Amino acid sequence: MSKAFASQADLADKKITFEQLSAHCWAYTAEGDPNSGVIIGEKFIMVSDATATPAMARDLIARIREVSDKPIKYVLLTHYHAVRVLGASAYFDEGATEVIASQGTYELIVERGKEDMQSEMERFPRLFRNAESIPGLTWPTLVVDGKLTVDLGGVKVQIWHPGAGHTRGDTIAWVEEEKVLFSGDLVEYEAGVYTGDAHLEEWPATLEALRALRAEAIVPGRGEAMKGNSAVNKALDYTKRWVETLFTAAKEAAAKGMDLKAAMAHTRKSMDPVFGHVFIYEHCLPFDVSRAYDEARGIKNPRIWTAERDQEMWASLQA
């Protein structure tokens, strides 16, 4: 019997937490759903990851307004996935004038933004409630090629691309004075690590570049905000173990000439015992195996996911 496609059976709302991590930094988390980060300065506010829809963004905005009336001037796209970016238009009424993304993320929106939007809406029906409020793709107004420092008044935010991983355009926000890192989906904790558009061979080195920052708090892409350097390292280790376990299994499958279905069964032997209990594991795994198998066979640039490709792959691997 086939499992329900992706997250179509996940319809229960999650408990949302809005938590202060330092003098200027906040985490908006929801039991394994996509997280957002908030940095509140004396003049301006930055939101890292805009949520899936304007309707969802308004909940985050309401929580921000409980603690600050400053303009939400900056919206950072840590990467291009629809579930992270399509809520951006809600911030325009709150003072947003800059939507920031890396050059790599901009290129991915051009290359596959439309397909990704359709694909993710079908994967995550709960997160895309009120999808009619989405005006279309979210386009950056400021494309960063290198490093950008933004002064919010009393707090500076460094924005830069530490290397490929979850996508080729991953971008972080780093508040060095307070040692708080907003990683996007480069880092997860106790939740599925989606790697359908990943660069798996490069990802561990990118995680080590983040570790070198010696952060004292991190807002991962999914999972609880982690406080204290040892806890930050725990999240980095969790993500690295997922990526390396997955890619090792895929390389073994490719070397033995297995087809994709056999590669899935082979990967489960090492992944299920360690990660099978975490949120959206069964959603992520077939997409992850598909990408890891491709990369293990030399396909450097991830193939574009369409709604049709999603369904075909799911029927093949999750029956």
Side-chain angles (χ1 to χ4, degrees), residues 261-295:
K261 191 171 182 66
M264 176 75 162
H266 179 70
T267 302
R268 279 194 177 279
K269 294 176 184 177
S270 50
M271 293 288 287
D272 285 8
V274 181
F275 301 107
H277 65 286
V278 303
F279 182 63
I280 72 164
Y281 175 76
E282 290 294 345
H283 172 146
C284 289
L285 190 64
F287 296 99
D288 288 9
V289 171
S290 297
R291 171 55 194 153
Y293 181 72
D294 275 358
E295 187 170 338

PDB file of all heavy atoms in Angstrom, residues 261-295:
ATOM      1  N   LYS A 261      15.151   1.991  -7.183  1.00  0.00           N
ATOM      2  CA  LYS A 261      14.341   1.319  -6.166  1.00  0.00           C
ATOM      3  C   LYS A 261      15.219   0.482  -5.235  1.00  0.00           C
ATOM      4  O   LYS A 261      15.029   0.478  -4.013  1.00  0.00           O
ATOM      5  CB  LYS A 261      13.275   0.447  -6.829  1.00  0.00           C
ATOM      6  CG  LYS A 261      12.225  -0.077  -5.852  1.00  0.00           C
ATOM      7  CD  LYS A 261      11.079  -0.748  -6.573  1.00  0.00           C
ATOM      8  CE  LYS A 261      10.006  -1.236  -5.618  1.00  0.00           C
ATOM      9  NZ  LYS A 261       9.315  -0.124  -4.936  1.00  0.00           N
ATOM     10  N   ALA A 262      16.184  -0.205  -5.802  1.00  0.00           N
ATOM     11  CA  ALA A 262      17.117  -0.966  -4.979  1.00  0.00           C
ATOM     12  C   ALA A 262      17.986  -0.040  -4.130  1.00  0.00           C
ATOM     13  O   ALA A 262      18.307  -0.349  -2.974  1.00  0.00           O
ATOM     14  CB  ALA A 262      17.992  -1.857  -5.862  1.00  0.00           C
ATOM     15  N   ALA A 263      18.348   1.113  -4.691  1.00  0.00           N
ATOM     16  CA  ALA A 263      19.126   2.096  -3.921  1.00  0.00           C
ATOM     17  C   ALA A 263      18.326   2.595  -2.727  1.00  0.00           C
ATOM     18  O   ALA A 263      18.887   2.816  -1.640  1.00  0.00           O
ATOM     19  CB  ALA A 263      19.523   3.260  -4.818  1.00  0.00           C
ATOM     20  N   MET A 264      17.029   2.754  -2.900  1.00  0.00           N
ATOM     21  CA  MET A 264      16.166   3.179  -1.794  1.00  0.00           C
ATOM     22  C   MET A 264      16.184   2.127  -0.681  1.00  0.00           C
ATOM     23  O   MET A 264      16.365   2.456   0.501  1.00  0.00           O
ATOM     24  CB  MET A 264      14.747   3.392  -2.320  1.00  0.00           C
ATOM     25  CG  MET A 264      13.720   3.740  -1.253  1.00  0.00           C
ATOM     26  SD  MET A 264      13.855   5.450  -0.673  1.00  0.00           S
ATOM     27  CE  MET A 264      12.231   5.644   0.090  1.00  0.00           C
ATOM     28  N   ALA A 265      16.010   0.875  -1.047  1.00  0.00           N
ATOM     29  CA  ALA A 265      16.016  -0.195  -0.045  1.00  0.00           C
ATOM     30  C   ALA A 265      17.371  -0.274   0.649  1.00  0.00           C
ATOM     31  O   ALA A 265      17.454  -0.479   1.875  1.00  0.00           O
ATOM     32  CB  ALA A 265      15.674  -1.519  -0.714  1.00  0.00           C
ATOM     33  N   HIS A 266      18.447  -0.112  -0.113  1.00  0.00           N
ATOM     34  CA  HIS A 266      19.789  -0.148   0.468  1.00  0.00           C
ATOM     35  C   HIS A 266      19.998   1.010   1.438  1.00  0.00           C
ATOM     36  O   HIS A 266      20.563   0.831   2.528  1.00  0.00           O
ATOM     37  CB  HIS A 266      20.827  -0.094  -0.656  1.00  0.00           C
ATOM     38  CG  HIS A 266      22.239  -0.094  -0.170  1.00  0.00           C
ATOM     39  ND1 HIS A 266      22.837  -1.198   0.407  1.00  0.00           N
ATOM     40  CD2 HIS A 266      23.181   0.897  -0.147  1.00  0.00           C
ATOM     41  CE1 HIS A 266      24.076  -0.901   0.756  1.00  0.00           C
ATOM     42  NE2 HIS A 266      24.309   0.364   0.424  1.00  0.00           N
ATOM     43  N   THR A 267      19.526   2.189   1.071  1.00  0.00           N
ATOM     44  CA  THR A 267      19.697   3.370   1.916  1.00  0.00           C
ATOM     45  C   THR A 267      18.913   3.229   3.214  1.00  0.00           C
ATOM     46  O   THR A 267      19.376   3.656   4.284  1.00  0.00           O
ATOM     47  CB  THR A 267      19.253   4.634   1.160  1.00  0.00           C
ATOM     48  OG1 THR A 267      20.020   4.755  -0.039  1.00  0.00           O
ATOM     49  CG2 THR A 267      19.449   5.879   2.010  1.00  0.00           C
ATOM     50  N   ARG A 268      17.750   2.640   3.145  1.00  0.00           N
ATOM     51  CA  ARG A 268      16.938   2.460   4.358  1.00  0.00           C
ATOM     52  C   ARG A 268      17.680   1.658   5.439  1.00  0.00           C
ATOM     53  O   ARG A 268      17.479   1.881   6.633  1.00  0.00           O
ATOM     54  CB  ARG A 268      15.627   1.755   4.016  1.00  0.00           C
ATOM     55  CG  ARG A 268      14.555   2.674   3.447  1.00  0.00           C
ATOM     56  CD  ARG A 268      13.199   1.995   3.456  1.00  0.00           C
ATOM     57  NE  ARG A 268      12.127   2.849   2.987  1.00  0.00           N
ATOM     58  CZ  ARG A 268      11.505   3.770   3.726  1.00  0.00           C
ATOM     59  NH1 ARG A 268      11.875   3.948   4.985  1.00  0.00           N
ATOM     60  NH2 ARG A 268      10.540   4.493   3.219  1.00  0.00           N
ATOM     61  N   LYS A 269      18.542   0.744   5.023  1.00  0.00           N
ATOM     62  CA  LYS A 269      19.238  -0.088   6.001  1.00  0.00           C
ATOM     63  C   LYS A 269      20.084   0.747   6.955  1.00  0.00           C
ATOM     64  O   LYS A 269      20.224   0.407   8.130  1.00  0.00           O
ATOM     65  CB  LYS A 269      20.121  -1.108   5.279  1.00  0.00           C
ATOM     66  CG  LYS A 269      19.346  -2.140   4.479  1.00  0.00           C
ATOM     67  CD  LYS A 269      20.293  -3.057   3.708  1.00  0.00           C
ATOM     68  CE  LYS A 269      19.538  -4.030   2.814  1.00  0.00           C
ATOM     69  NZ  LYS A 269      20.480  -4.860   2.005  1.00  0.00           N
ATOM     70  N   SER A 270      20.639   1.846   6.452  1.00  0.00           N
ATOM     71  CA  SER A 270      21.476   2.693   7.308  1.00  0.00           C
ATOM     72  C   SER A 270      20.742   3.916   7.844  1.00  0.00           C
ATOM     73  O   SER A 270      21.076   4.422   8.923  1.00  0.00           O
ATOM     74  CB  SER A 270      22.734   3.138   6.549  1.00  0.00           C
ATOM     75  OG  SER A 270      22.410   3.681   5.295  1.00  0.00           O
ATOM     76  N   MET A 271      19.723   4.395   7.119  1.00  0.00           N
ATOM     77  CA  MET A 271      19.008   5.603   7.542  1.00  0.00           C
ATOM     78  C   MET A 271      17.874   5.316   8.534  1.00  0.00           C
ATOM     79  O   MET A 271      17.718   6.035   9.531  1.00  0.00           O
ATOM     80  CB  MET A 271      18.445   6.332   6.324  1.00  0.00           C
ATOM     81  CG  MET A 271      19.483   6.922   5.389  1.00  0.00           C
ATOM     82  SD  MET A 271      20.349   8.374   6.036  1.00  0.00           S
ATOM     83  CE  MET A 271      19.061   9.631   5.911  1.00  0.00           C
ATOM     84  N   ASP A 272      17.081   4.299   8.276  1.00  0.00           N
ATOM     85  CA  ASP A 272      15.894   4.054   9.109  1.00  0.00           C
ATOM     86  C   ASP A 272      16.222   3.891  10.588  1.00  0.00           C
ATOM     87  O   ASP A 272      15.546   4.491  11.441  1.00  0.00           O
ATOM     88  CB  ASP A 272      15.140   2.813   8.627  1.00  0.00           C
ATOM     89  CG  ASP A 272      14.350   3.044   7.345  1.00  0.00           C
ATOM     90  OD1 ASP A 272      14.506   4.120   6.730  1.00  0.00           O
ATOM     91  OD2 ASP A 272      13.583   2.140   6.951  1.00  0.00           O
ATOM     92  N   PRO A 273      17.239   3.105  10.971  1.00  0.00           N
ATOM     93  CA  PRO A 273      17.494   2.907  12.399  1.00  0.00           C
ATOM     94  C   PRO A 273      17.895   4.179  13.144  1.00  0.00           C
ATOM     95  O   PRO A 273      17.660   4.302  14.346  1.00  0.00           O
ATOM     96  CB  PRO A 273      18.642   1.886  12.416  1.00  0.00           C
ATOM     97  CG  PRO A 273      18.582   1.212  11.094  1.00  0.00           C
ATOM     98  CD  PRO A 273      18.121   2.267  10.136  1.00  0.00           C
ATOM     99  N   VAL A 274      18.489   5.118  12.434  1.00  0.00           N
ATOM    100  CA  VAL A 274      18.994   6.345  13.073  1.00  0.00           C
ATOM    101  C   VAL A 274      17.970   7.481  12.997  1.00  0.00           C
ATOM    102  O   VAL A 274      17.751   8.213  13.976  1.00  0.00           O
ATOM    103  CB  VAL A 274      20.312   6.797  12.418  1.00  0.00           C
ATOM    104  CG1 VAL A 274      20.859   8.055  13.103  1.00  0.00           C
ATOM    105  CG2 VAL A 274      21.342   5.680  12.450  1.00  0.00           C
ATOM    106  N   PHE A 275      17.319   7.618  11.848  1.00  0.00           N
ATOM    107  CA  PHE A 275      16.499   8.796  11.594  1.00  0.00           C
ATOM    108  C   PHE A 275      15.015   8.501  11.370  1.00  0.00           C
ATOM    109  O   PHE A 275      14.223   9.435  11.214  1.00  0.00           O
ATOM    110  CB  PHE A 275      17.030   9.536  10.353  1.00  0.00           C
ATOM    111  CG  PHE A 275      18.446   9.992  10.453  1.00  0.00           C
ATOM    112  CD1 PHE A 275      19.462   9.359   9.739  1.00  0.00           C
ATOM    113  CD2 PHE A 275      18.795  11.054  11.281  1.00  0.00           C
ATOM    114  CE1 PHE A 275      20.777   9.785   9.821  1.00  0.00           C
ATOM    115  CE2 PHE A 275      20.102  11.484  11.375  1.00  0.00           C
ATOM    116  CZ  PHE A 275      21.104  10.851  10.650  1.00  0.00           C
ATOM    117  N   GLY A 276      14.624   7.256  11.338  1.00  0.00           N
ATOM    118  CA  GLY A 276      13.262   6.901  10.953  1.00  0.00           C
ATOM    119  C   GLY A 276      12.167   7.487  11.812  1.00  0.00           C
ATOM    120  O   GLY A 276      11.008   7.551  11.385  1.00  0.00           O
ATOM    121  N   HIS A 277      12.516   7.966  13.021  1.00  0.00           N
ATOM    122  CA  HIS A 277      11.509   8.487  13.953  1.00  0.00           C
ATOM    123  C   HIS A 277      11.239   9.979  13.777  1.00  0.00           C
ATOM    124  O   HIS A 277      10.278  10.497  14.359  1.00  0.00           O
ATOM    125  CB  HIS A 277      11.981   8.267  15.387  1.00  0.00           C
ATOM    126  CG  HIS A 277      13.219   9.047  15.741  1.00  0.00           C
ATOM    127  ND1 HIS A 277      14.476   8.705  15.271  1.00  0.00           N
ATOM    128  CD2 HIS A 277      13.394  10.172  16.488  1.00  0.00           C
ATOM    129  CE1 HIS A 277      15.366   9.563  15.730  1.00  0.00           C
ATOM    130  NE2 HIS A 277      14.745  10.476  16.468  1.00  0.00           N
ATOM    131  N   VAL A 278      12.034  10.698  12.990  1.00  0.00           N
ATOM    132  CA  VAL A 278      11.949  12.162  13.021  1.00  0.00           C
ATOM    133  C   VAL A 278      10.856  12.678  12.086  1.00  0.00           C
ATOM    134  O   VAL A 278      10.446  12.005  11.139  1.00  0.00           O
ATOM    135  CB  VAL A 278      13.301  12.832  12.685  1.00  0.00           C
ATOM    136  CG1 VAL A 278      14.384  12.358  13.647  1.00  0.00           C
ATOM    137  CG2 VAL A 278      13.719  12.600  11.240  1.00  0.00           C
ATOM    138  N   PHE A 279      10.417  13.902  12.352  1.00  0.00           N
ATOM    139  CA  PHE A 279       9.352  14.549  11.590  1.00  0.00           C
ATOM    140  C   PHE A 279       9.741  14.672  10.118  1.00  0.00           C
ATOM    141  O   PHE A 279      10.870  15.022   9.799  1.00  0.00           O
ATOM    142  CB  PHE A 279       9.071  15.927  12.195  1.00  0.00           C
ATOM    143  CG  PHE A 279       7.965  16.692  11.530  1.00  0.00           C
ATOM    144  CD1 PHE A 279       6.673  16.221  11.535  1.00  0.00           C
ATOM    145  CD2 PHE A 279       8.226  17.891  10.884  1.00  0.00           C
ATOM    146  CE1 PHE A 279       5.650  16.925  10.919  1.00  0.00           C
ATOM    147  CE2 PHE A 279       7.223  18.610  10.267  1.00  0.00           C
ATOM    148  CZ  PHE A 279       5.927  18.113  10.281  1.00  0.00           C
ATOM    149  N   ILE A 280       8.824  14.375   9.249  1.00  0.00           N
ATOM    150  CA  ILE A 280       8.890  14.358   7.778  1.00  0.00           C
ATOM    151  C   ILE A 280       9.988  13.451   7.210  1.00  0.00           C
ATOM    152  O   ILE A 280      10.441  13.635   6.087  1.00  0.00           O
ATOM    153  CB  ILE A 280       8.909  15.755   7.119  1.00  0.00           C
ATOM    154  CG1 ILE A 280      10.225  16.510   7.307  1.00  0.00           C
ATOM    155  CG2 ILE A 280       7.716  16.599   7.548  1.00  0.00           C
ATOM    156  CD1 ILE A 280      10.361  17.697   6.343  1.00  0.00           C
ATOM    157  N   TYR A 281      10.388  12.433   7.968  1.00  0.00           N
ATOM    158  CA  TYR A 281      11.384  11.488   7.449  1.00  0.00           C
ATOM    159  C   TYR A 281      10.884  10.811   6.182  1.00  0.00           C
ATOM    160  O   TYR A 281      11.590  10.791   5.163  1.00  0.00           O
ATOM    161  CB  TYR A 281      11.710  10.445   8.515  1.00  0.00           C
ATOM    162  CG  TYR A 281      12.632   9.352   8.031  1.00  0.00           C
ATOM    163  CD1 TYR A 281      13.998   9.589   7.876  1.00  0.00           C
ATOM    164  CD2 TYR A 281      12.146   8.074   7.720  1.00  0.00           C
ATOM    165  CE1 TYR A 281      14.855   8.593   7.427  1.00  0.00           C
ATOM    166  CE2 TYR A 281      12.997   7.075   7.276  1.00  0.00           C
ATOM    167  CZ  TYR A 281      14.339   7.334   7.132  1.00  0.00           C
ATOM    168  OH  TYR A 281      15.186   6.343   6.680  1.00  0.00           O
ATOM    169  N   GLU A 282       9.675  10.249   6.232  1.00  0.00           N
ATOM    170  CA  GLU A 282       9.166   9.509   5.076  1.00  0.00           C
ATOM    171  C   GLU A 282       8.867  10.435   3.896  1.00  0.00           C
ATOM    172  O   GLU A 282       8.879  10.002   2.750  1.00  0.00           O
ATOM    173  CB  GLU A 282       7.930   8.702   5.455  1.00  0.00           C
ATOM    174  CG  GLU A 282       8.217   7.528   6.370  1.00  0.00           C
ATOM    175  CD  GLU A 282       9.059   6.433   5.714  1.00  0.00           C
ATOM    176  OE1 GLU A 282       9.186   6.442   4.474  1.00  0.00           O
ATOM    177  OE2 GLU A 282       9.604   5.586   6.451  1.00  0.00           O
ATOM    178  N   HIS A 283       8.582  11.693   4.181  1.00  0.00           N
ATOM    179  CA  HIS A 283       8.433  12.685   3.107  1.00  0.00           C
ATOM    180  C   HIS A 283       9.777  12.910   2.419  1.00  0.00           C
ATOM    181  O   HIS A 283       9.877  12.849   1.190  1.00  0.00           O
ATOM    182  CB  HIS A 283       7.904  13.994   3.709  1.00  0.00           C
ATOM    183  CG  HIS A 283       7.887  15.158   2.761  1.00  0.00           C
ATOM    184  ND1 HIS A 283       6.923  16.126   2.811  1.00  0.00           N
ATOM    185  CD2 HIS A 283       8.715  15.540   1.753  1.00  0.00           C
ATOM    186  CE1 HIS A 283       7.156  17.030   1.867  1.00  0.00           C
ATOM    187  NE2 HIS A 283       8.250  16.698   1.229  1.00  0.00           N
ATOM    188  N   CYS A 284      10.814  13.136   3.206  1.00  0.00           N
ATOM    189  CA  CYS A 284      12.107  13.533   2.633  1.00  0.00           C
ATOM    190  C   CYS A 284      12.833  12.392   1.945  1.00  0.00           C
ATOM    191  O   CYS A 284      13.486  12.610   0.904  1.00  0.00           O
ATOM    192  CB  CYS A 284      13.011  14.094   3.733  1.00  0.00           C
ATOM    193  SG  CYS A 284      12.517  15.705   4.378  1.00  0.00           S
ATOM    194  N   LEU A 285      12.775  11.183   2.511  1.00  0.00           N
ATOM    195  CA  LEU A 285      13.692  10.127   2.085  1.00  0.00           C
ATOM    196  C   LEU A 285      13.654   9.824   0.590  1.00  0.00           C
ATOM    197  O   LEU A 285      14.723   9.724  -0.034  1.00  0.00           O
ATOM    198  CB  LEU A 285      13.455   8.856   2.899  1.00  0.00           C
ATOM    199  CG  LEU A 285      14.531   7.787   2.695  1.00  0.00           C
ATOM    200  CD1 LEU A 285      15.886   8.274   3.197  1.00  0.00           C
ATOM    201  CD2 LEU A 285      14.146   6.484   3.389  1.00  0.00           C
ATOM    202  N   PRO A 286      12.493   9.654  -0.051  1.00  0.00           N
ATOM    203  CA  PRO A 286      12.545   9.335  -1.482  1.00  0.00           C
ATOM    204  C   PRO A 286      13.138  10.446  -2.339  1.00  0.00           C
ATOM    205  O   PRO A 286      13.864  10.170  -3.306  1.00  0.00           O
ATOM    206  CB  PRO A 286      11.077   9.068  -1.845  1.00  0.00           C
ATOM    207  CG  PRO A 286      10.278   9.680  -0.757  1.00  0.00           C
ATOM    208  CD  PRO A 286      11.118   9.608   0.471  1.00  0.00           C
ATOM    209  N   PHE A 287      12.865  11.705  -1.993  1.00  0.00           N
ATOM    210  CA  PHE A 287      13.488  12.815  -2.710  1.00  0.00           C
ATOM    211  C   PHE A 287      15.002  12.811  -2.473  1.00  0.00           C
ATOM    212  O   PHE A 287      15.794  13.052  -3.396  1.00  0.00           O
ATOM    213  CB  PHE A 287      12.889  14.149  -2.257  1.00  0.00           C
ATOM    214  CG  PHE A 287      11.436  14.310  -2.581  1.00  0.00           C
ATOM    215  CD1 PHE A 287      10.462  14.079  -1.623  1.00  0.00           C
ATOM    216  CD2 PHE A 287      11.023  14.686  -3.859  1.00  0.00           C
ATOM    217  CE1 PHE A 287       9.108  14.224  -1.920  1.00  0.00           C
ATOM    218  CE2 PHE A 287       9.679  14.832  -4.171  1.00  0.00           C
ATOM    219  CZ  PHE A 287       8.721  14.603  -3.198  1.00  0.00           C
ATOM    220  N   ASP A 288      15.387  12.525  -1.227  1.00  0.00           N
ATOM    221  CA  ASP A 288      16.804  12.517  -0.870  1.00  0.00           C
ATOM    222  C   ASP A 288      17.560  11.416  -1.611  1.00  0.00           C
ATOM    223  O   ASP A 288      18.659  11.644  -2.142  1.00  0.00           O
ATOM    224  CB  ASP A 288      16.957  12.318   0.640  1.00  0.00           C
ATOM    225  CG  ASP A 288      16.555  13.530   1.448  1.00  0.00           C
ATOM    226  OD1 ASP A 288      15.986  14.479   0.873  1.00  0.00           O
ATOM    227  OD2 ASP A 288      16.808  13.532   2.673  1.00  0.00           O
ATOM    228  N   VAL A 289      16.983  10.219  -1.615  1.00  0.00           N
ATOM    229  CA  VAL A 289      17.641   9.108  -2.294  1.00  0.00           C
ATOM    230  C   VAL A 289      17.759   9.387  -3.791  1.00  0.00           C
ATOM    231  O   VAL A 289      18.795   9.111  -4.406  1.00  0.00           O
ATOM    232  CB  VAL A 289      16.881   7.793  -2.028  1.00  0.00           C
ATOM    233  CG1 VAL A 289      17.432   6.666  -2.907  1.00  0.00           C
ATOM    234  CG2 VAL A 289      16.988   7.410  -0.555  1.00  0.00           C
ATOM    235  N   SER A 290      16.712   9.971  -4.369  1.00  0.00           N
ATOM    236  CA  SER A 290      16.745  10.284  -5.800  1.00  0.00           C
ATOM    237  C   SER A 290      17.903  11.219  -6.123  1.00  0.00           C
ATOM    238  O   SER A 290      18.646  11.010  -7.087  1.00  0.00           O
ATOM    239  CB  SER A 290      15.417  10.912  -6.240  1.00  0.00           C
ATOM    240  OG  SER A 290      14.351  10.015  -6.075  1.00  0.00           O
ATOM    241  N   ARG A 291      18.053  12.273  -5.322  1.00  0.00           N
ATOM    242  CA  ARG A 291      19.138  13.220  -5.571  1.00  0.00           C
ATOM    243  C   ARG A 291      20.503  12.595  -5.278  1.00  0.00           C
ATOM    244  O   ARG A 291      21.449  12.755  -6.057  1.00  0.00           O
ATOM    245  CB  ARG A 291      18.951  14.493  -4.729  1.00  0.00           C
ATOM    246  CG  ARG A 291      20.138  15.437  -4.762  1.00  0.00           C
ATOM    247  CD  ARG A 291      20.531  15.830  -6.188  1.00  0.00           C
ATOM    248  NE  ARG A 291      21.853  16.469  -6.239  1.00  0.00           N
ATOM    249  CZ  ARG A 291      22.652  16.449  -7.293  1.00  0.00           C
ATOM    250  NH1 ARG A 291      22.292  15.826  -8.410  1.00  0.00           N
ATOM    251  NH2 ARG A 291      23.823  17.039  -7.255  1.00  0.00           N
ATOM    252  N   ALA A 292      20.621  11.867  -4.162  1.00  0.00           N
ATOM    253  CA  ALA A 292      21.905  11.269  -3.802  1.00  0.00           C
ATOM    254  C   ALA A 292      22.349  10.258  -4.865  1.00  0.00           C
ATOM    255  O   ALA A 292      23.531  10.187  -5.222  1.00  0.00           O
ATOM    256  CB  ALA A 292      21.805  10.603  -2.439  1.00  0.00           C
ATOM    257  N   TYR A 293      21.415   9.485  -5.377  1.00  0.00           N
ATOM    258  CA  TYR A 293      21.701   8.499  -6.426  1.00  0.00           C
ATOM    259  C   TYR A 293      22.172   9.207  -7.698  1.00  0.00           C
ATOM    260  O   TYR A 293      23.140   8.775  -8.349  1.00  0.00           O
ATOM    261  CB  TYR A 293      20.439   7.685  -6.668  1.00  0.00           C
ATOM    262  CG  TYR A 293      20.537   6.587  -7.700  1.00  0.00           C
ATOM    263  CD1 TYR A 293      21.265   5.420  -7.445  1.00  0.00           C
ATOM    264  CD2 TYR A 293      19.862   6.681  -8.913  1.00  0.00           C
ATOM    265  CE1 TYR A 293      21.322   4.395  -8.381  1.00  0.00           C
ATOM    266  CE2 TYR A 293      19.912   5.659  -9.850  1.00  0.00           C
ATOM    267  CZ  TYR A 293      20.648   4.522  -9.584  1.00  0.00           C
ATOM    268  OH  TYR A 293      20.698   3.497 -10.508  1.00  0.00           O
ATOM    269  N   ASP A 294      21.513  10.309  -8.046  1.00  0.00           N
ATOM    270  CA  ASP A 294      21.957  11.104  -9.198  1.00  0.00           C
ATOM    271  C   ASP A 294      23.377  11.611  -9.001  1.00  0.00           C
ATOM    272  O   ASP A 294      24.241  11.470  -9.886  1.00  0.00           O
ATOM    273  CB  ASP A 294      21.023  12.297  -9.413  1.00  0.00           C
ATOM    274  CG  ASP A 294      19.789  11.969 -10.238  1.00  0.00           C
ATOM    275  OD1 ASP A 294      19.660  10.813 -10.696  1.00  0.00           O
ATOM    276  OD2 ASP A 294      18.954  12.878 -10.423  1.00  0.00           O
ATOM    277  N   GLU A 295      23.630  12.223  -7.839  1.00  0.00           N
ATOM    278  CA  GLU A 295      24.957  12.806  -7.625  1.00  0.00           C
ATOM    279  C   GLU A 295      26.035  11.727  -7.590  1.00  0.00           C
ATOM    280  O   GLU A 295      27.147  11.933  -8.103  1.00  0.00           O
ATOM    281  CB  GLU A 295      24.977  13.625  -6.329  1.00  0.00           C
ATOM    282  CG  GLU A 295      26.284  14.385  -6.149  1.00  0.00           C
ATOM    283  CD  GLU A 295      26.276  15.397  -5.021  1.00  0.00           C
ATOM    284  OE1 GLU A 295      25.179  15.843  -4.605  1.00  0.00           O
ATOM    285  OE2 GLU A 295      27.370  15.754  -4.548  1.00  0.00           O
TER     286      GLU A 295
END
